[in-house]
Amino acid sequence: MQAFDVAIVGGGPAGSSCAAFCALAGLHTLVLERERFPREKVCGDCLNPSCWPVLERLGLTQRVWDLPHSKLISVEFIAIDGHKAIVDLPTGEDCEFSIKRSLFDDLLLKRACDLGVHVREETTVTTLSHCSAEKACSHGPVARPVLDASEGRGYNVLQPGWKIETTSGESFLAQVLVGADGRNSTVARLRNLLPRPARERVALQAHIPLPQNFGKRIVLQFLREGYSGQAPVNKTELNLCLVGTPPTISRLRQWAQSHFEIAANQPWRTITPLTRAPVPCAHENLLFIGDAARVVEPFTGEGIYYALRSGELAADAIAKIIRGKDRQLALREFARECAEMYRGRLWINRLARDAVLLPRIGSAFVRAAQIQPGIVRLLTRKIVSRENDE
């Protein structure tokens, strides 16, 4: 039974970034991922400029630029009646950037591997149990002994950890456990922490041939049945997202088939819920990051930033805990920094939700923006700024 300082369940942007930063801090790190990469993920496929500082600290900026992508130069809001509002996006290094999640997530996970993280793909966690230091010692220690924080030398007793069992029959021990396994988190479910979802909306997503003369723009189009998000992800493909309610989603799909001239048998990926209550990000030696902690709209361009940054914040807290610093202080700082990361931006989430449940609100917003352009510029600046980063 292998023992690690930290075990991370989920290898998406949150889990991979946390693992990479843990490895950079010298921690013995494990990632357990249910799927095999590369794989697609329902998402708007956009990286907002807040992502770039985190990617720089991971040493990945140039490698992301080297992948097939599209540099987006404007956002076009379209009301139900066809009225439009267009906002230019930042250019240069602070640009809005679109890239397929299959490529981006695979790059992040490989970076973690390159840094020495142990990765088990196609591995599903089935059981999580607390493991005391004494019990763990029959198999080897849970983790390295904790350095005495008050003396700065010597060692104190081993801290309690986790025993993790998987469908492959493998078992692992870890001092700290991280749930980075998305909105339907297995870790949260196994620990009876997963809130009841709100299933008032459904999302569909597909990559389709890029329409001629589409340009390097994001389109957010309000429809009577919900809304559609569109963005090119390279020179030949368009990311097409549809968000509606269960009664309207089939009509949205029919609209897309007609509007984009795509086949009736076009395969779609789907995701639900788009809303659920947040899970507290810190539970002693169990941390939650990314969508496992707080579900945000996957099509506003913000979710990947929250995943990357929360992974980095968690790694910093874990490194402090493993090195024997004040555990409660480290967890309080982590929770505070996570709250600060979201502050002032979640209203965009609420606006996107209301635009689906009450599409005329979104359309009214577009018409108001034609009269007062500063409204839509404020919305766009909130999404595509680097202001959240240190």
Side-chain angles (χ1 to χ4, degrees), residues 30-255:
L30 170 70
V31 169
L32 301 172
E33 167 56 44
R34 182 178 59 188
E35 299 186 46
R36 176 160 293 278
F37 283 31
R39 56 92 181 94
E40 287 298 348
K41 186 79 171 179
V42 175
C43 180
D45 286 345
C46 290
L47 306 182
N48 69 31
S50 298
C51 295
W52 293 114
V54 186
L55 293 170
E56 288 166 11
R57 292 191 285 272
L58 286 171
L60 286 177
T61 303
Q62 188 57 53
R63 291 171 66 179
V64 172
W65 276 97
D66 289 342
L67 294 171
H69 67 274
S70 185
K71 183 178 176 181
L72 304 170
I73 62 174
S74 66
V75 180
E76 183 174 308
F77 298 86
I78 305 177
I80 292 174
D81 58 9
H83 284 86
K84 298 180 181 180
I86 301 173
V87 179
D88 292 333
L89 294 174
T91 59
E93 294 182 357
D94 287 343
C95 69
E96 183 86 0
F97 191 94
S98 59
I99 183 172
K100 294 177 78 170
R101 286 288 301 274
S102 56
L103 301 176
F104 182 72
D105 291 11
D106 191 49
L107 178 65
L108 285 171
L109 190 61
K110 285 179 177 175
R111 177 58 173 156
C113 289
D114 291 343
L115 292 169
V117 174
H118 296 256
V119 176
R120 297 285 196 281
E121 294 180 89
E122 297 180 294
T123 301
T124 300
V125 173
T126 56
T127 306
L128 297 170
S129 56
H130 285 294
C131 184
S132 67
E134 294 79 7
K135 183 177 180 181
C137 284
S138 63
H139 304 287
V142 174
R144 66 173 61 91
V146 179
L147 187 66
D148 188 290
S150 60
E151 298 293 333
R153 55 184 173 80
Y155 294 96
N156 61 19
V157 298
L158 287 171
Q159 299 205 23
W162 293 91
K163 181 180 179 182
I164 306 155
E165 299 179 52
T166 68
T167 51
S168 65
E170 292 183 288
S171 297
F172 305 94
L173 299 172
Q175 183 173 325
V176 178
L177 177 66
V178 177
D181 49 345
R183 64 192 63 224
N184 297 306
S185 170
T186 295
V187 174
R189 178 176 55 80
L190 290 173
R191 300 308 301 169
N192 294 317
L193 295 170
L194 189 65
R196 184 187 298 267
R199 298 188 181 278
E200 80 276 15
R201 291 173 300 149
V202 179
L204 300 177
Q205 185 250 4
H207 292 113
I208 65 172
L210 182 64
Q212 189 174 9
N213 300 320
F214 188 89
K216 296 183 178 181
R217 59 182 176 139
I218 302 171
V219 173
L220 297 176
Q221 186 165 358
F222 299 102
L223 302 158
R224 287 181 175 82
E225 299 83 5
Y227 80 83
S228 169
Q230 306 144 33
V233 292
N234 51 48
K235 294 179 180 179
T236 62
E237 292 179 281
L238 180 78
N239 180 312
L240 173 60
C241 299
L242 308 174
V243 183
T245 61
T248 66
I249 197 67
S250 62
R251 296 201 299 274
L252 270 175
R253 189 167 52 219
Q254 292 168 4
W255 168 85

